[in-house]
Each structure stands twice: as structure tokens, then as C-alpha cells.
């Protein structure tokens, strides 16, 4: 790819799909992200299997662990976005990534020594969630400082590609290593080492090449200001509401892959890793297709969300494991289409001085629904079986899409009416 130049009008040029990688800082960011994401997905796989082993296959316990990891975002996510606007983002990321690596190391030692208990997993999940309250909106809003507005949609899509490439490799490698090594402990240790890659990339960046906005001074009312900014902009409100409803059942669907593979199709650790990888193959393909797009659209956002709900239902009704694996591919394509379209649309529409707070709200709704959706569908799966949980999750996703569209119109009408009222009062005065 070195030295390649994108030819105007040549949509198939490699530079069109990977153009953000010409930026040195972003290359370092992306390389570190791939390594760390592989380790992260290995740990996620190990964590799910560890919970199932410690609780003798309890879907409710698995849902609780998932919920605890995302509950802090629901409680404190907006404050994390506000901190992203106040402090240098690279420095915040260095501290957050170091703490996450330390948590993985601690969990690995506990598991390898046989001292791990169910509550250890819950504490680790909740602590990771606390760190993510600041790390995720900071990382999301840091991308535009590396590549600028022009290449932002491409960089977001490449981030998604990196994330889902790791999702293909991570669970499969984790499944094989768990089978070979006879336990999940070494997986946590491998993830701890993987954080060195992203920390090294952040340290090697050239600060002079970052387009860093001036830090926002600390004043009262900053959270309300960010919320008002979103409510007054339908191009921000629509994707945020759509993500809120879709993501409520996204984490439960990822959780259901473990349940479907293990409880419905009686697949072992390596086969479970294959199921997660098939879902990620579709997501990776969807992200690479998104990398060629130059502008997000509302039609693509709504179409992707509807497709995700329908494919969820189809996977829950799959008659056999091979069919289930095949259906996971388009499900992944649909989900990543929603995520990349919404993310790019929100970041492009947000004012620069508001981007951290807007992304804090985006990440809050993206992850904050898991404490509701994951335990609910885990409980439904315990009562009616994993298939029932997946089908109901898909149906609720479709209902959520309709709700997001109607709420956007209703809030837009009320906001416009309020603005007209203020304008009329001002004119009368």
C-alpha cells in the first residue's frame, strides 16, 4: 500500500478504502487497536465460558456479568464524555488503557492459581465498565483529531473493520487455547500483554500532527448543554435513538451465541469460537463495505436496523448448527452497517466543542441498554430456552426501530414549536 495514490473517480482504488492509513498517527492507532482488540475478544470469550463453568451453565449469571460491565456507562457515561472535552485525549487514553491491562493481569493470576470465584468476575466486569465510561467516548472522539473531518467516515469504518477482524480471530484463538491449555486463565494473561501494543502506539504519535481543539473550561450546565444540542438536531437525535434501541439487544445477542452453541447445538469451546467468528466475518465484511462510503445516510441506518432484527429472529429459528453459522454472517453485516452509519453521522453532525459530550451520550445509549436487555433476555432464555430469547430479542429490535423513528418526529415537532414560541415572544418584545 506504500506509495499508492487514489485516482479521482476510481472507486475501486485501494487508497479509497484504506485512505486513513496514510496518516502516521492513525496507522499507529490502528495497529495497536488490532492487537489489543484481539486480546480483548479472547478475554470476552474466556470470561463468558468462565462464568458458565463457575455457575454450571447459568444464563442468568452470564447476563448479570454482561450487565455489570455496561451498567457504569448507563450511570456515568455522560460525565465520561464531559471529561473527554476537558482533558487531552491521548493522555486520558494512556491512563485508561494501563488500568485495563492491570485488570486483565489480576484476573489472569486469580484464574491460573485457582482462586477465582464468581464474584471476582462481577467485580472485574464492573470495574472495566467504570474505566470504559471515560475511555470509550475519548477514543471515539480522538479519531477526528488524527484524520480530520474529510477522512472521518473512512477511519470509523476501518476502526470497525479492525474491531471485527479481532472478533474473527480472538474467539477462535481463545477457543483453541482453552482446549489446548485446559483453562481460561492464560487467556486473561495474553490480553494483559496485548495492551502494550496500544500503549506503544499512543506514545509514538506525533503531537504536532494532531488537530486538537482547545479544552472546554469547567463551567456549570455542560451536560445540559450537550443534551440540548442533541435534542435540537434531528441529524444527531435520529441515529442516537436508533442505536439506543438496537444496542439494547445487541449485547444479549452476542451472549446468546455462547448459549446457542453450547446449550442448543452442544458445541464445544472450539465450535463456540467458530460461531462467534462467523458473526464477526459478516461484521468485518460490512465494515469494509462501509469504508468505501463517503457519507452516511438515514435510509441505510434504518434498513440496517430492520435487517438486524429480522436476522436475529432467523438465527433463533435455525434448524441446525451449519444453518445457524451461515445466518450469523448477514446478521453481522446488518449490525455493523447500523453501527458505522450512526457513529459517522453523529461525529460529523456534532459541533467540535461538543463532540466529547455528544459521543458520551452516543456511547451511553450504545452500551447502556445492556443492563436492561442482557438480564431480561437471559432470564427469558432460562425460562423458554435460548431460541426463545433470541427470537424475542429480534422482535423487540424491530419494535425499537419503529419507536426511534416516531420519537425523532415527536421530539422534533416539540423542539420546533418551542423555538417558534421563543422567536415569537422575542419579536413581540
Amino acid at each position: 500500500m506504500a506509495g499508492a495514490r487514489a485516482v479521482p473517480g476510481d472507486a475501486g482504488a485501494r487508497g479509497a478504502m484504506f485512505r486513513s492509513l496514510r496518516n502516521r498517527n492513525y496507522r499507529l492507532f490502528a495497529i495497536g487497536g488490532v492487537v489489543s482488540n484481539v486480546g480483548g475478544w479472547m478475554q470476552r470469550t474466556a470470561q463468558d465460558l468462565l462464568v458458565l463453568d463457575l455457575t454450571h451453565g447459568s444464563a442468568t449469571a452470564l447476563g448479570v456479568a454482561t450487565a455489570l460491565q455496561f451498567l457504569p456507562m448507563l450511570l456515568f457515561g455522560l460525565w465520561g464524555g464531559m471529561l473527554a472535552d476537558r482533558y487531552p485525549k491521548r493522555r486520558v487514553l494512556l491512563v485508561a488503557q494501563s488500568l485495563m491491562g492491570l485488570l486483565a493481569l489480576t484476573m489472569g493470576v486469580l484464574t491460573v492459581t485457582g482462586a477465582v470465584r464468581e464474584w471476582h468476575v462481577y467485580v472485574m466486569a464492573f470495574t472495566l465498565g467504570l474505566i470504559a465510561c471515560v475511555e470509550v467516548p475519548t477514543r471515539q472522539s480522538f479519531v477526528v483529531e488524527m484524520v480530520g473531518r474529510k477522512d472521518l467516515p473512512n477511519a470509523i469504518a476501518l476502526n470497525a473493520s479492525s474491531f471485527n477482524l479481532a472478533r474473527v480471530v480472538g474467539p477462535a484463538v481463545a477457543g483453541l487455547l482453552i482446549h489446548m491449555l485446559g483453562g481460561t486463565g492464560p487467556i486473561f494473561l495474553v490480553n494483559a500483554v496485548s495492551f502494550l501494543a496500544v500503549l506503544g502506539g499512543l506514545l509514538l504519535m506525533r503531537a504536532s500532527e494532531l488537530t486538537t481543539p482547545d479544552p472546554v473550561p469547567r463551567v456549570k450546565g455542560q451536560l445540559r448543554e450537550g443534551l440540548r444540542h442533541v435534542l435540537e438536531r434531528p441529524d444527531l437525535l435520529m441515529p442516537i435513538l436508533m442505536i439506543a434501541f438496537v444496542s439494547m439487544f445487541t449485547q444479549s445477542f452476542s451472549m446468546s451465541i455462547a448459549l446457542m452453541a453450547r446449550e442448543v447445538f452442544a458445541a464445544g469451546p472450539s465450535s463456540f469460537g467458530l460461531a462467534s467468528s462467523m458473526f464477526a466475518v459478516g461484521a468485518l465484511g460490512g465494515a469494509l463495505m462501509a469504508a468505501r462510503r463517503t457519507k452516511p445516510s438515514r435510509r441505510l441506518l434504518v434498513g440496517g436496523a430492520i435487517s438486524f432484527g429480522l436476522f436475529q429472529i432467523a438465527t433463533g429459528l435455525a434448524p441446525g448448527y451449519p444453518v445457524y453459522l451461515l445466518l450469523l454472517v448477514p446478521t453481522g453485516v446488518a449490525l455493523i452497517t447500523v453501527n458505522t452509519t450512526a457513529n459517522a453521522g453523529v461525529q460529523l453532525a456534532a459541533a467540535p466543542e461538543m463532540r466529547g459530550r455528544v459521543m458520551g451520550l452516543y456511547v451511553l445509549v450504545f452500551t447502556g441498554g445492556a443492563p436492561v436487555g442482557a438480564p431480561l433476555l437471559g432470564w427469558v432464555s432460562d425460562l423458554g430456552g435460548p431460541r426463545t430469547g433470541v427470537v424475542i430479542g429480534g422482535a423487540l429490535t424491530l419494535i425499537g426501530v419503529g419507536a426511534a423513528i416516531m420519537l425523532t418526529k415527536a421530539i422534533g415537532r416539540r423542539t420546533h414549536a418551542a423555538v417558534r414560541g421563543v422567536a415569537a415572544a422575542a419579536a413581540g418584545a
Side-chain angles (χ1 to χ4, degrees), residues 303-372:
I306 292 174
S307 298
F308 177 61
L310 292 175
F311 280 118
Q312 274 185 283
I313 296 172
T315 58
L317 300 175
Y321 198 50
V323 176
Y324 177 70
L325 292 177
L326 290 175
L327 286 172
L328 287 174
V329 176
T331 308
V333 172
L335 178 59
I336 206 64
T337 298
V338 177
N339 291 348
T340 55
T341 304
N343 193 316
V346 167
Q347 290 211 52
L348 287 172
E353 68 277 8
M354 295 280 189
R355 189 168 288 120
R357 279 164 284 178
V358 171
M359 291 311 297
L361 178 60
Y362 176 88
V363 174
L364 184 151
V365 302
F366 183 78
T367 58
V372 177

Side-chain angles (χ1 to χ4, degrees), residues 112-241:
V112 168
T113 58
V116 68
R117 297 293 182 267
E118 182 181 346
W119 69 269
H120 290 146
V121 182
Y122 293 158
V123 170
M124 184 199 74
F126 187 77
T127 308
L128 277 174
L130 284 175
I131 299 171
C133 286
V134 179
E135 192 273 342
V136 176
T138 303
R139 173 166 41 86
Q140 295 275 358
S141 54
F142 184 54
V143 174
V144 71
E145 295 185 14
M146 292 182 284
V147 303
R149 289 179 57 85
K150 181 179 179 182
D151 287 337
L152 179 62
N154 176 256
I156 290 173
L158 291 182
N159 284 347
S161 301
S162 167
F163 181 81
N164 287 287
L165 176 62
R167 194 170 186 170
V168 172
V169 176
V173 173
L176 291 174
L177 288 179
I178 292 170
H179 179 72
M180 292 171 58
L181 301 177
T184 55
I187 308 303
F188 292 99
L189 298 177
V190 170
N191 184 44
V193 174
S194 74
F195 281 96
L196 296 175
V198 67
L199 289 172
L202 289 168
L203 289 170
L204 291 172
M205 286 183 181
R206 295 171 181 162
S208 61
E209 296 178 6
L210 296 172
T211 56
T212 306
D214 294 332
V216 176
R218 182 175 182 175
V219 295
K220 290 184 178 181
Q222 287 180 320
L223 289 181
R224 291 193 300 272
E225 187 182 18
L227 290 172
R228 187 165 56 249
H229 182 62
V230 171
L231 290 174
E232 293 173 352
R233 298 282 300 276
D235 51 350
L236 288 173
L237 184 61
M238 175 69 170
I240 287 177
L241 285 176

Side-chain angles (χ1 to χ4, degrees), residues 263-319:
E263 306 298 329
V264 176
F265 300 113
S270 59
S271 296
F272 159 59
L274 177 61
S276 296
S277 296
M278 290 296 288
F279 180 66
V281 164
L284 175 61
L288 290 174
M289 288 189 289
R292 290 189 176 277
R293 301 187 191 108
T294 57
K295 186 178 180 181
S297 70
R298 179 174 296 190
R299 180 179 299 178
L300 186 64
L301 177 65
V302 174
I306 292 174
S307 298
F308 177 61
L310 292 175
F311 280 118
Q312 274 185 283
I313 296 172
T315 58
L317 300 175

Side-chain angles (χ1 to χ4, degrees), residues 5-21:
R5 298 179 60 187
V7 178
D10 183 5
R14 287 174 57 87
M17 180 178 289
F18 301 104
R19 57 187 179 273
S20 296
L21 293 176

